[in-house]
Amino acid sequence: MMKRACGLAMLALVAGAAPAQCEASPEQPSRLHQSLQAGGRIAAQPVHDVDASRTKIPPVLEAASGDPYDLVGARSCAQIARSIAALTDALGPDFASGPAKKENKAGKLAEAGGKSIVNAIIPFRGLVREISGAAPAQRRLNNAVDAGLARRGFLRGLQSARRCKR
């Protein structure tokens, strides 16, 4: 019952209502914080849609876009480690195996509700994104991130094949 009440409070928060107080478990503050961050991203979406805030592609990802499987700069174990570190700085932490984290259902519900509200408020959102240049910019960023992930995976494989220390 408490989780449901908190989920509804978060949905109200994303929709613009006053936040409700949720007591609770030790893991709840981080979940609430994540939900509030998602709400902030959703609320800022119209700004992104008209491309008022541009995201710059990090140079390391632009370089990876050229050829993610290039051996330039991967001669020694030290070079490989530096390249992996630079990619991790741009991409965030690498995939970690282990038990799956418990999904924050209330946060996901609030995020979906917030996105629905933003999509309903902005008619022809997709068209606005294409005309403003936000959609092509997002596609370029997504391609650069994909290339960076491929490059990091390639370098990890190279690191392993060469038996480099991690």
Side-chain angles (χ1 to χ4, degrees), residues 126-160:
L127 186 59
V128 169
R129 288 180 51 77
E130 287 296 332
I131 292 169
S132 71
Q138 185 65 48
R139 286 191 292 273
R140 285 190 298 277
L141 176 62
N142 290 346
N143 288 336
V145 167
D146 290 346
L149 291 170
R151 176 85 180 148
R152 183 167 62 186
F154 171 74
L155 292 171
R156 289 246 187 244
L158 198 58
Q159 190 178 45
S160 179

Coordinates of all heavy atoms in Angstrom, one line a residue, residues 126-160:
G126 N 7.0 15.1 -33.1 CA 8.0 14.6 -34.0 C 8.4 15.5 -35.1 O 9.5 15.7 -35.5
L127 N 7.4 16.2 -35.7 CA 7.6 17.1 -36.7 C 8.4 18.3 -36.2 O 9.4 18.8 -36.9 CB 6.3 17.6 -37.3 CG 6.4 18.5 -38.6 CD1 7.1 17.8 -39.7 CD2 5.0 18.9 -39.0
V128 N 8.1 18.8 -35.0 CA 8.8 19.9 -34.4 C 10.3 19.5 -34.2 O 11.2 20.3 -34.5 CB 8.2 20.4 -33.1 CG1 9.1 21.3 -32.3 CG2 6.8 21.0 -33.3
R129 N 10.5 18.3 -33.8 CA 11.9 17.8 -33.5 C 12.7 17.8 -34.9 O 13.8 18.1 -34.9 CB 11.9 16.5 -32.8 CG 11.5 16.6 -31.4 CD 11.5 15.2 -30.7 NE 12.7 14.5 -30.8 CZ 13.8 14.7 -30.2 NH1 13.9 15.7 -29.3 NH2 14.9 14.0 -30.4
E130 N 12.0 17.3 -35.9 CA 12.7 17.2 -37.2 C 13.0 18.6 -37.8 O 14.2 18.9 -38.2 CB 11.9 16.5 -38.2 CG 11.8 15.0 -38.0 CD 13.1 14.3 -38.1 OE1 14.0 14.7 -38.9 OE2 13.3 13.2 -37.5
I131 N 12.1 19.5 -37.7 CA 12.3 20.9 -38.2 C 13.3 21.7 -37.4 O 14.2 22.4 -38.0 CB 10.9 21.7 -38.3 CG1 10.0 21.1 -39.3 CG2 11.2 23.1 -38.5 CD1 8.6 21.6 -39.3
S132 N 13.3 21.5 -36.1 CA 14.2 22.2 -35.3 C 15.6 21.7 -35.3 O 16.6 22.3 -34.9 CB 13.7 22.2 -33.8 OG 13.9 20.9 -33.3
G133 N 15.8 20.5 -35.8 CA 17.1 19.8 -35.8 C 17.4 19.0 -34.6 O 18.4 18.4 -34.5
A134 N 16.5 18.9 -33.7 CA 16.7 18.1 -32.5 C 16.7 16.6 -32.8 O 17.5 15.9 -32.2 CB 15.6 18.4 -31.4
A135 N 15.9 16.2 -33.7 CA 15.8 14.7 -34.0 C 17.1 14.3 -34.7 O 17.7 13.3 -34.3 CB 14.6 14.4 -34.8
P136 N 17.6 15.0 -35.7 CA 18.8 14.6 -36.4 C 20.0 14.6 -35.4 O 20.9 13.8 -35.4 CB 19.0 15.6 -37.5 CG 17.7 16.1 -37.8 CD 16.9 16.1 -36.5
A137 N 20.0 15.7 -34.5 CA 21.1 15.8 -33.5 C 21.1 14.6 -32.6 O 22.1 14.0 -32.2 CB 21.0 17.1 -32.7
Q138 N 19.9 14.1 -32.2 CA 19.7 13.0 -31.3 C 20.2 11.7 -32.0 O 20.8 10.9 -31.4 CB 18.3 12.8 -30.8 CG 18.1 11.7 -29.8 CD 18.8 12.0 -28.5 OE1 18.7 13.0 -28.0 NE2 19.5 11.0 -28.0
R139 N 19.9 11.6 -33.3 CA 20.3 10.4 -34.1 C 21.8 10.4 -34.2 O 22.5 9.3 -34.0 CB 19.7 10.4 -35.5 CG 18.2 10.0 -35.5 CD 17.7 9.7 -36.9 NE 17.7 10.9 -37.7 CZ 16.6 11.7 -37.8 NH1 15.6 11.5 -37.0 NH2 16.7 12.8 -38.6
R140 N 22.5 11.5 -34.4 CA 23.9 11.6 -34.4 C 24.6 11.2 -33.1 O 25.5 10.4 -33.0 CB 24.4 13.0 -34.8 CG 24.2 13.3 -36.3 CD 25.0 14.6 -36.7 NE 24.5 15.8 -36.0 CZ 23.4 16.5 -36.4 NH1 22.7 16.1 -37.5 NH2 23.0 17.5 -35.7
L141 N 24.0 11.7 -32.0 CA 24.4 11.3 -30.7 C 24.3 9.8 -30.4 O 25.2 9.2 -29.9 CB 23.7 12.1 -29.6 CG 24.1 11.8 -28.1 CD1 25.5 12.1 -27.9 CD2 23.2 12.6 -27.2
N142 N 23.1 9.3 -30.8 CA 22.9 7.9 -30.6 C 23.9 7.0 -31.4 O 24.4 6.0 -30.9 CB 21.5 7.5 -31.0 CG 20.4 8.0 -30.0 OD1 20.7 8.5 -28.9 ND2 19.2 8.0 -30.5
N143 N 24.2 7.4 -32.6 CA 25.2 6.7 -33.4 C 26.5 6.8 -32.8 O 27.3 5.8 -32.8 CB 25.2 7.2 -34.9 CG 24.0 6.9 -35.7 OD1 23.3 5.9 -35.3 ND2 23.6 7.6 -36.7
A144 N 26.9 7.9 -32.3 CA 28.2 8.1 -31.7 C 28.3 7.2 -30.4 O 29.4 6.6 -30.1 CB 28.5 9.6 -31.3
V145 N 27.3 7.2 -29.6 CA 27.2 6.3 -28.4 C 27.4 4.9 -28.8 O 28.1 4.1 -28.2 CB 26.0 6.6 -27.6 CG1 25.8 5.5 -26.5 CG2 26.0 8.0 -26.9
D146 N 26.6 4.4 -29.8 CA 26.7 3.0 -30.3 C 28.2 2.7 -30.7 O 28.7 1.7 -30.4 CB 25.8 2.8 -31.5 CG 24.3 2.8 -31.0 OD1 24.0 2.7 -29.8 OD2 23.4 2.9 -31.9
A147 N 28.8 3.6 -31.5 CA 30.2 3.4 -31.9 C 31.1 3.4 -30.7 O 32.0 2.5 -30.7 CB 30.6 4.5 -32.9
G148 N 30.9 4.2 -29.7 CA 31.7 4.2 -28.5 C 31.6 2.9 -27.8 O 32.6 2.4 -27.3
L149 N 30.3 2.4 -27.7 CA 30.1 1.1 -27.0 C 30.8 0.0 -27.8 O 31.4 -0.9 -27.2 CB 28.6 0.8 -26.9 CG 27.9 1.7 -25.9 CD1 26.4 1.5 -26.0 CD2 28.3 1.5 -24.5
A150 N 30.7 0.0 -29.1 CA 31.4 -1.0 -29.9 C 32.9 -0.9 -29.7 O 33.6 -1.9 -29.6 CB 31.0 -0.8 -31.4
R151 N 33.4 0.3 -29.7 CA 34.9 0.5 -29.6 C 35.3 0.0 -28.2 O 36.4 -0.7 -28.1 CB 35.2 2.0 -29.7 CG 36.7 2.4 -29.5 CD 37.5 2.2 -30.7 NE 38.9 2.5 -30.5 CZ 39.9 1.9 -31.1 NH1 39.6 1.0 -32.0 NH2 41.1 2.3 -30.8
R152 N 34.6 0.3 -27.1 CA 35.0 -0.1 -25.8 C 35.0 -1.7 -25.7 O 35.9 -2.3 -25.2 CB 34.1 0.5 -24.7 CG 34.5 0.1 -23.3 CD 33.9 0.9 -22.3 NE 32.4 0.7 -22.3 CZ 31.6 1.4 -21.5 NH1 32.1 2.4 -20.6 NH2 30.3 1.2 -21.5
G153 N 34.0 -2.3 -26.3 CA 33.9 -3.7 -26.3 C 35.0 -4.4 -27.1 O 35.6 -5.3 -26.7
F154 N 35.4 -3.7 -28.3 CA 36.5 -4.2 -29.1 C 37.8 -4.1 -28.3 O 38.6 -5.0 -28.3 CB 36.6 -3.4 -30.4 CG 37.8 -3.6 -31.2 CD1 38.0 -4.8 -31.9 CD2 38.8 -2.6 -31.2 CE1 39.1 -5.0 -32.6 CE2 40.0 -2.8 -31.9 CZ 40.1 -4.0 -32.7
L155 N 38.0 -3.0 -27.6 CA 39.2 -2.8 -26.8 C 39.3 -3.8 -25.7 O 40.4 -4.2 -25.3 CB 39.4 -1.3 -26.4 CG 39.6 -0.3 -27.5 CD1 39.5 1.1 -26.9 CD2 40.9 -0.5 -28.1
R156 N 38.2 -4.0 -25.0 CA 38.1 -5.0 -23.9 C 38.6 -6.4 -24.5 O 39.3 -7.1 -23.8 CB 36.8 -5.1 -23.3 CG 36.4 -3.9 -22.5 CD 36.3 -4.2 -21.1 NE 35.8 -3.1 -20.3 CZ 36.5 -2.4 -19.4 NH1 37.7 -2.8 -19.1 NH2 36.0 -1.4 -18.8
G157 N 38.0 -6.8 -25.6 CA 38.4 -8.0 -26.3 C 39.9 -8.1 -26.6 O 40.6 -9.1 -26.4
L158 N 40.4 -7.0 -27.1 CA 41.8 -6.9 -27.5 C 42.7 -7.0 -26.2 O 43.7 -7.7 -26.1 CB 42.1 -5.5 -28.2 CG 43.3 -5.4 -29.0 CD1 43.5 -6.4 -30.0 CD2 43.3 -4.0 -29.6
Q159 N 42.2 -6.3 -25.1 CA 42.9 -6.3 -23.8 C 43.0 -7.8 -23.3 O 44.0 -8.2 -22.8 CB 42.1 -5.4 -22.9 CG 42.8 -5.1 -21.6 CD 41.9 -4.2 -20.7 OE1 40.7 -4.4 -20.6 NE2 42.6 -3.2 -20.1
S160 N 41.9 -8.5 -23.4 CA 41.8 -9.9 -23.0 C 42.7 -10.8 -23.8 O 43.4 -11.6 -23.3 CB 40.4 -10.3 -23.0 OG 40.3 -11.7 -22.6

